[in-house]
Amino acid sequence: MERIYNFSAGPAMLPLPVLEQARDELLNWRDSGMSVMEMSHRGKEYSSIIAQAETDLRELMNIPANYKVLFLQGGATLQFAQIPLNLLGDRSADYVVTGAWSKKALKEAQKVGRAQLAASTEDSLYTRLPAASEIKLSPDAAYLHVCTNETVHGVEMHNLDFLPGSVPIVADMSSHILSRPVDVSKYGLIYGGAQKNIGPAGLTLVIVREDLLGKAPVNLPTMLDYAVQAENGSMLNTPPTYSIYIAGLVFQWLKQQGGLAAIAQTNIAKARLLYETIDASSLYHNPVELSCRSRMNIPFTLNQPDLDNAFIAAAKARDILSIKGHKMVGGMRASIYNAMPMAGVEALVTFMKAFEAENE
Ligand SMILES: *Cc1c(COP(=O)(O)O)cnc(C)c1O
C-alpha cells in the first residue's frame, strides 16, 4: 500500500526508515528474542536503549551537562501544571500568551500557583508576537513562560531577542522541537509532547537546568517531582518504554540527516514553498506577520469558505490528508514537521494551484 501525505498537527508522520526499522525489530530486538515492548525497563537491553536515546538527544541539541533530560508521561498538558508546581517555590510566574497553547498553559498554572499574564496578542487574533515594550514582568517572577511555536495559530519565535534576559525562560516547544538548532543554555526549561516532532504519543520530554530543581513543596506527589525523576533516571516507575525506543530511532535518523542544522535547511525550504504558494494566490490566505510565521504549522483560509469541504475532499483524492484547520482558526492547516518530505509539500502546492485554477 502507498503511504499518504499526512498533514496532521499530531500525532503526526514519522520518518519511514524509523517505521521500517521498528517493523524489522518488532518481534526480536537485536537477538534478544523479545520485542522492546516485552522488555523489563530495568534489564540490560532496555537500559542501553534509553541511555543511547539520551546520548543522541544531548548530541543533537548540544545540551549542556548542567541540564537534566527527563522522559516523562502526561503530555505537554501535564507540564502546564507540573512546571509551576516544581519551579515556583513561594514566587509567581509570568506568561506571554501568543496563541491557544500558551493561553491554556497560563490558565492551568493559575490553578496550582500564582501566575500572571505578562503580555498577550489576543487582540491581534494571535497573528504576531509582542514587542519587548509590551511585556510586563512581575518583580518576583520565578520564570517567564512562552510557547515558541503556537501549533494552532502558526506563530513561531525565530529568536528570543524581544524577551527580557533577567528571568529563566520556560518554553513549550512541543511542535517545533528538533526542527532547528536552539541554544539550550538560553532556557531554564524546555518541554514538549513527543507526538508532533519526536515520536509516538505517550512520551513527554523535559530538559531542565539543574539549579532550578529542589523547590518543590514537600506534599508534591512523588511522580510529579522533577528532582526525584532526575535522581531515578526517569525510572521512578515504568517509563513509556516503546515510545522512548521509537524516539531514539528518530534521534538516530536525525543524526543521519546531518543533525538539526541540516534538517532546519530542509524545513526552511518546505515552509518557503508553501508560503510562496499561499502569498502568490488570490484564493488562499495566511494572516500571520512575516517575521513570526511558523515553519511547522501553516494555517491558511480560502477566501470562499464554501469551498472548504470541496478542497478537503479533492485533497484526499490525491492522498493529502488531515489538512482541515483547527476550529479556532478555520480553513486549513498544513503541519509539515521533520518527517514530512519535500515531495509531500510539493504534492500539496501542486494540488493547491490546480484547485485554485479549477475554481476561478
Ligand atoms: C499539542 C500541544 C500541546 C498539548 O500536548 P499534549 O501532549 O497533547 O498534552 C501543548 N502545547 C503545544 C504547543 C502543542 O502543540
Side-chain angles (χ1 to χ4, degrees), residues 25-280:
E25 296 180 336
L26 182 67
L27 302 185
N28 181 0
W29 183 83
R30 300 189 195 170
D31 285 330
S32 65
M34 322 175 246
S35 173
V36 174
M37 280 182 261
E38 302 170 304
M39 287 175 183
S40 163
H41 58 295
R42 306 203 189 274
K44 75 173 188 327
E45 291 91 351
Y46 195 76
S47 299
S48 75
I49 290 174
I50 192 168
Q52 190 64 49
E54 178 170 342
T55 300
D56 288 338
L57 180 69
R58 283 185 176 275
E59 186 182 324
L60 278 168
M61 293 185 71
N62 198 15
I63 300 174
N66 62 326
Y67 284 72
K68 297 290 187 195
V69 172
L70 305 177
F71 295 111
L72 305 179
Q73 303 189 57
T77 304
L78 182 56
Q79 292 311 310
F80 294 166
Q82 196 169 348
I83 288 164
L85 285 169
N86 277 274
L87 302 191
L88 277 185
D90 53 8
R91 295 161 75 180
S92 77
D94 289 340
Y95 280 68
V96 174
V97 170
T98 51
W101 286 112
S102 46
K103 189 176 182 179
K104 280 195 186 182
L106 170 61
K107 211 172 156 201
E108 193 69 7
Q110 286 172 332
K111 288 185 125 177
V112 299
R114 281 193 298 129
Q116 68 115 16
L117 182 67
S120 169
T121 56
E122 189 164 15
D123 58 358
S124 319
L125 302 176
Y126 301 127
T127 56
R128 65 181 185 93
L129 292 173
S133 59
E134 291 176 79
I135 300 174
K136 303 277 178 282
L137 294 183
S138 49
D140 70 336
Y143 62 85
L144 177 67
H145 181 281
V146 294
C147 176
T148 45
N149 187 64
E150 286 284 358
T151 320
V152 172
H153 291 88
V155 174
E156 182 166 4
M157 296 180 183
H158 295 292
N159 63 65
L160 302 180
D161 299 347
F162 66 104
L163 296 176
S166 49
V167 59
I169 292 171
V170 169
D172 179 356
M173 292 195 184
S174 294
S175 52
H176 77 161
I177 191 164
L178 300 177
S179 70
R180 58 195 299 163
V182 293
D183 182 351
V184 174
S185 71
K186 286 189 173 159
Y187 298 84
L189 186 150
I190 290 169
Y191 69 103
Q195 69 276 15
K196 281 140 191 172
N197 215 14
I198 301 176
L203 167 65
T204 312
L205 189 67
V206 172
I207 302 166
V208 58
R209 214 173 66 205
E210 281 167 357
D211 64 283
L212 299 177
L213 300 180
K215 297 189 188 67
V218 287
N219 65 351
L220 184 67
T222 318
M223 269 297 283
L224 297 182
D225 191 326
Y226 291 145
V228 178
Q229 289 285 6
E231 273 160 33
N232 288 276
S234 306
M235 294 235 207
L236 178 62
N237 72 334
T238 318
T241 53
Y242 200 75
S243 295
I244 293 169
Y245 156 71
I246 299 286
L249 297 185
V250 171
F251 301 154
Q252 298 206 338
W253 175 79
L254 279 168
K255 284 171 65 176
Q256 285 158 12
Q257 305 308 299
L260 301 191
I263 204 83
Q265 290 310 311
T266 310
N267 288 329
I268 287 169
K270 282 154 48 187
R272 183 183 295 142
L273 176 62
L274 185 46
Y275 282 118
E276 278 174 1
T277 304
I278 292 168
D279 292 342

Side-chain angles (χ1 to χ4, degrees), residues 279-321:
D279 292 342
S281 104
S282 49
L283 179 61
Y284 310 114
H285 176 68
N286 170 282
V288 180
E289 276 187 9
L290 297 187
S291 61
C292 56
R293 282 174 157 185
S294 172
R295 294 176 189 161
M296 295 282 105
N297 309 97
I298 304 184
F300 60 95
T301 51
L302 277 59
N303 67 15
Q304 303 171 56
D306 52 323
L307 287 177
D308 281 1
N309 289 336
F311 181 93
I312 292 164
K316 190 172 177 200
R318 296 204 185 198
D319 288 339
I320 292 167
L321 273 88

